[in-house]
């Protein structure tokens, strides 16, 4: 499973990149608002750090506006993927972007039928938001299972990008279910590495190392 970092913070993106952990980046307007810089500047900076798909989201909600914004965003760097909301106007834009060879990420996916339509429109990625489903008392990971199965059944090429990942359990379940990608906040990326037995074992090794005679 590929790992993307879900962030607009170039400092943490740089750190995750140095760990060799990430294959790409997803952003959204809420994440970029925290960066305090214009979107095109932050996206350009991210593209210099990570050599992989970088999702940048449109703000427009009408097809023409989405197309206009998306065509500007892809000028920033060839790795930019246009993130489009899964609404009727958005899906039309996804179809046009696909015909133009522009990669898309159909975002704010909360149901299997939405994911099926995204695939039919040729989306490169579909982003089901598992954490936000959990928040309303629905098991978000069940949606991942459904979409992976549907895409497999019909050989769709759209990649399932598990999003709104809030914990390591989401991440592990996504990998077990065959999600192609998980986009993960930096805090959770660091948690993936943590285990108390690793810390305990290391402390013991360092203690015992003191007893080794010097040559
Ligand atoms: C996905 O691309 C979104 O940026 C993100 O995963 C949303 O996560 P949240 O529900 O934690 O805000």
């Amino acid at each position: 499973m590929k790992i993307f970092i879900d962030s607009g913070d170039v400092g943490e993106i740089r750190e995750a990149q140095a760990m060799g952990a990430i294959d790409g980046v997803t952003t959204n307007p809420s994440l970029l608002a925290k960066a305090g810089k214009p979107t095109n500047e932050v996206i350009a900076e991210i593209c210099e750090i990570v050599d992989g798909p970088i999702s940048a989201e449109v703000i427009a909600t009408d097809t023409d506006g989405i197309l206009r914004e998306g065509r500007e965003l892809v000028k920033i760097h060839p790795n930019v993927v246009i993130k489009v909301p899964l609404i009727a106007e958005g899906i039309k834009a996804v179809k046009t972007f696909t015909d133009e060879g522009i990669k898309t990420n159909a975002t704010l996916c909360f149901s299997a039928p939405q994911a099926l339509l995204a695939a039919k429109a040729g989306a490169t990625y579909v982003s089901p938001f598992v954490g936000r489903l959990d928040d309303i008392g629905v098991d978000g990971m069940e949606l991942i299972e459904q979409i992976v199965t549907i895409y497999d059944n019909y050989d769709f090429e759209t990649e399932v990008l598990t999003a709104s990942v809030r914990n390591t359990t989401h991440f592990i379940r996504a990998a077990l279910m065959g999600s192609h990608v998980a986009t993960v906040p930096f805090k959770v990326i660091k948690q993936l590495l943590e285990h108390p037995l690793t810390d305990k074992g290391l402390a013991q090794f360092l203690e015992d190392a003191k007893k080794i005679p010097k040559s």
Side-chain angles (χ1 to χ4, degrees):
M1 183 172 71
K2 285 172 277 191
I3 304 177
F4 291 177
I5 184 169
D6 194 31
S7 176
D9 180 327
V10 291
E12 58 185 31
I13 292 170
R14 220 181 283 280
E15 214 177 314
Q17 170 67 14
M19 288 166 68
I22 52 172
D23 304 290
V25 181
T26 54
T27 65
N28 65 39
S30 308
L31 292 169
L32 289 176
K34 293 183 202 156
K37 284 194 242 176
T39 293
N40 54 348
E41 284 180 28
V42 183
I43 297 296
E45 239 180 295
I46 294 172
C47 290
E48 290 308 311
I49 302 168
V50 180
D51 183 19
I54 313 295
S55 286
E57 188 159 344
V58 295
I59 310 297
T61 53
D62 63 295
T63 306
D64 287 345
I66 293 171
L67 290 172
R68 216 173 15 251
E69 274 183 41
R71 287 173 187 143
E72 283 305 309
L73 286 167
V74 291
K75 285 182 192 161
I76 298 173
H77 195 280
N79 285 347
V80 170
V81 174
I82 307 305
K83 211 169 172 190
V84 180
L86 255 172
I87 54 175
E89 292 289 298
I91 209 84
K92 286 190 259 174
V94 168
K95 168 83 179 83
T96 303
F97 282 138
T98 304
D99 293 343
E100 293 176 1
I102 293 174
K103 291 189 173 160
T104 54
N105 176 349
T107 190
L108 289 166
C109 175
F110 293 97
S111 77
Q114 284 180 320
L116 186 52
L117 289 182
K120 289 190 81 75
T124 315
Y125 304 98
V126 67
S127 288
F129 279 31
V130 296
R132 293 193 194 187
L133 282 170
D134 287 358
D135 289 344
I136 59 160
V138 176
D139 180 5
M141 293 311 299
E142 272 183 22
L143 177 59
I144 302 302
E145 196 157 38
Q146 289 172 2
I147 299 172
V148 168
T149 303
I150 292 169
Y151 283 8
D152 276 356
N153 286 348
Y154 299 102
D155 290 330
F156 283 120
E157 286 177 12
T158 302
E159 295 195 19
V160 180
L161 195 169
T162 301
S164 188
V165 167
R166 304 270 174 79
N167 51 54
T168 54
T169 306
H170 282 149
F171 179 84
I172 293 157
R173 288 181 72 193
L176 288 170
M177 286 171 183
S179 179
H180 303 88
V181 192
T183 188
V184 186
F186 189 48
K187 184 178 134 211
V188 180
I189 291 179
K190 286 188 286 184
Q191 286 169 357
L192 297 176
L193 203 56
E194 288 167 8
H195 198 287
L197 289 179
T198 304
D199 297 339
K200 192 176 168 210
L202 179 61
Q204 183 69 58
F205 285 153
L206 294 179
E207 208 40 49
D208 290 344
K210 291 178 192 159
K211 300 171 200 156
I212 301 173
K214 304 262 184 282
S215 58

